[in-house]
Amino acid sequence: MKNDLHIERLRSLLNLLENNFTKPLSSSEVAAATFYSYRNINRIFRAVFHKSIGRYIKELLLQEAARQLAYSDKAITDIAFELNYSDLQAFNKAFRREFACSPSQFRQQDEKNMKAWINAKLPEEIKELDRLTYSIESLPPTRILYLTHYGNYNSQGINDCWEALLEYAHQQKLLKDETRYLGELMDDDEIVKDENCRYNAAITLPQEAVFEPTGFFNTKTIASGQYVCITHQGDRNKLDTVYEQIFLHWIVKNEFEIADKPFLEFYLNDEADTSTNDLLTEIYVPVASSKL
């Protein structure tokens, strides 16, 4: 269908932007990926996402800058240079416009907030940390079919995303007894704007399966890696509490180093036929294998 072709081209553009935003991207590269002129695809992009391609790239760059400020010791000048800003002044101006503070203030504020949060939480919750049990799991290369939701991780839109994915998978006869259901949390919602946070609703596919997705559906292989697996029983709307425990455990116990990769959530049973108290979710925290 003609509409499917437009969606395919828009999806190609999103993949191009998200995989190449740290290097200069020419209008000819965008045109080659979408088979539209830059002018026309930018019009379509703006209509769908309410921002220009250029603005979206700038947001991705600044979110990467914020991530590096929060999680690395890189000099601010090095971060600005690596992200292709013309000079430090231009970087500071753009960062301040996005986050309402300078890069140095952001880094200092993040450190202060973290210390305050730790000091507030540890006295009352440190005893709970010993109750957090986990296993170390080696995840093999895992091929998935997925649909991306852009927005807050607690949004109703994620449920809509799952409904669309499962309906599509059912139509394509992809749901098997061995199929696993998972969510891939691509972004840090403390840094990335809610509207840009990416959540992939996904099902596993056999590695050998021959399947070409259409529309906004996509396939990829999650690379093999080491994970800390924590099993949560109960309301999935309360997973934030579990994540808080995980990070507290990491800070206090110092037993593993969290890797800069997406967290995974494997859903072991279905909300449609399982009581809320009996829902089982496995949280996979990516870790550096050398630290285990």
Side-chain angles (χ1 to χ4, degrees):
M1 292 178 64
K2 193 173 182 180
N3 188 52
D4 288 339
L5 178 61
H6 297 326
I7 292 174
E8 289 286 348
R9 292 177 178 181
L10 189 57
R11 185 178 71 177
S12 295
L13 175 59
L14 283 173
N15 288 337
L16 177 69
L17 298 180
E18 291 169 1
N19 292 323
N20 297 278
F21 68 88
T22 58
K23 63 182 183 182
L25 200 60
S26 68
S27 57
S28 60
E29 287 177 285
V30 171
T34 63
F35 299 98
Y36 279 113
S37 68
Y38 184 90
R39 181 180 182 182
N40 284 335
I41 193 62
N42 193 44
R43 286 171 170 168
I44 296 170
F45 191 91
R46 188 188 293 274
V48 174
F49 295 104
H50 308 294
K51 66 188 72 175
S52 67
I53 293 172
R55 178 59 194 165
Y56 185 66
I57 291 173
K58 288 177 181 177
E59 289 182 356
L60 291 176
L61 284 170
L62 290 169
Q63 288 160 13
E64 174 62 17
R67 188 191 68 78
Q68 293 193 28
L69 287 167
Y71 301 120
S72 81
D73 296 324
K74 282 185 182 178
I76 293 173
T77 51
D78 290 342
I79 294 173
F81 179 77
E82 289 176 10
L83 297 180
N84 301 306
Y85 281 88
S86 57
D87 55 48
L88 187 59
Q89 182 177 357
F91 174 63
N92 285 341
K93 184 177 180 180
F95 193 92
R96 187 182 292 276
R97 187 183 300 118
E98 187 75 5
F99 292 99
C101 65
S102 70
S104 59
Q105 288 171 332
F106 181 90
R107 176 169 272 172
Q108 293 166 4
Q109 175 180 297
D110 188 71
E111 291 174 355
K112 289 178 182 177
N113 288 345
M114 181 174 287
K115 289 177 181 176
W117 181 71
I118 292 171
N119 289 335
K121 288 291 182 184
L122 290 188
E124 64 182 74
E125 296 190 5
I126 195 167
K127 293 180 181 178
E128 296 294 320
L129 300 183
D130 290 328
R131 300 181 185 177
L132 185 70
T133 58
Y134 61 84
S135 60
I136 304 297
E137 303 291 340
S138 295
L139 187 72
T142 304
R143 190 165 177 235
I144 61 172
L145 168 72
Y146 66 95
L147 179 62
T148 302
H149 171 266
Y150 290 84
N152 188 292
Y153 286 145
N154 295 316
S155 166
Q156 170 61 35
I158 288 180
N159 293 332
D160 298 336
C161 192
W162 270 107
E163 287 183 11
L165 174 70
L166 295 178
E167 180 181 3
Y168 180 76
H170 177 72
Q171 291 172 350
Q172 302 298 321
K173 297 181 171 56
L174 296 173
L175 300 178
K176 312 292 183 183
D177 290 342
E178 63 272 19
T179 300
R180 302 184 72 190
Y181 303 81
L182 66 143
E184 190 180 22
L185 285 66
M186 302 296 293
D187 299 296
D188 182 344
D189 58 1
E190 293 295 325
I191 291 175
V192 178
K193 286 183 175 180
D194 277 355
E195 65 199 61
N196 292 338
C197 280
R198 294 165 298 160
Y199 171 94
N200 291 336
I203 63 168
T204 56
L205 295 173
Q207 287 294 115
E208 69 280 1
V210 177
F211 176 72
E212 290 297 328
T214 58
F216 279 114
F217 298 96
N218 211 339
T219 61
K220 69 175 180 179
T221 297
I222 300 174
S224 61
Q226 296 283 337
Y227 290 81
V228 164
C229 175
I230 295 102
T231 301
H232 168 71
Q233 180 173 337
D235 192 346
R236 288 177 180 149
N237 292 321
K238 297 180 179 179
L239 285 176
D240 284 350
T241 302
V242 184
Y243 281 107
E244 194 170 280
Q245 276 194 314
I246 291 170
F247 292 123
L248 278 173
H249 188 281
W250 165 60
I251 291 168
V252 175
K253 301 293 185 178
N254 196 30
E255 292 177 341
F256 51 85
E257 182 176 330
I258 299 176
D260 186 18
K261 295 167 59 178
F263 281 49
L264 306 175
E265 295 175 354
F266 285 90
Y267 310 115
L268 305 189
N269 45 19
D270 189 349
E271 294 181 2
D273 55 17
T274 308
S275 69
T276 300
N277 292 336
D278 293 328
L279 290 172
L280 293 175
T281 306
E282 289 181 342
I283 298 173
Y284 272 55
V285 180
V287 292
S289 57
S290 61
K291 300 294 182 180
L292 295 175

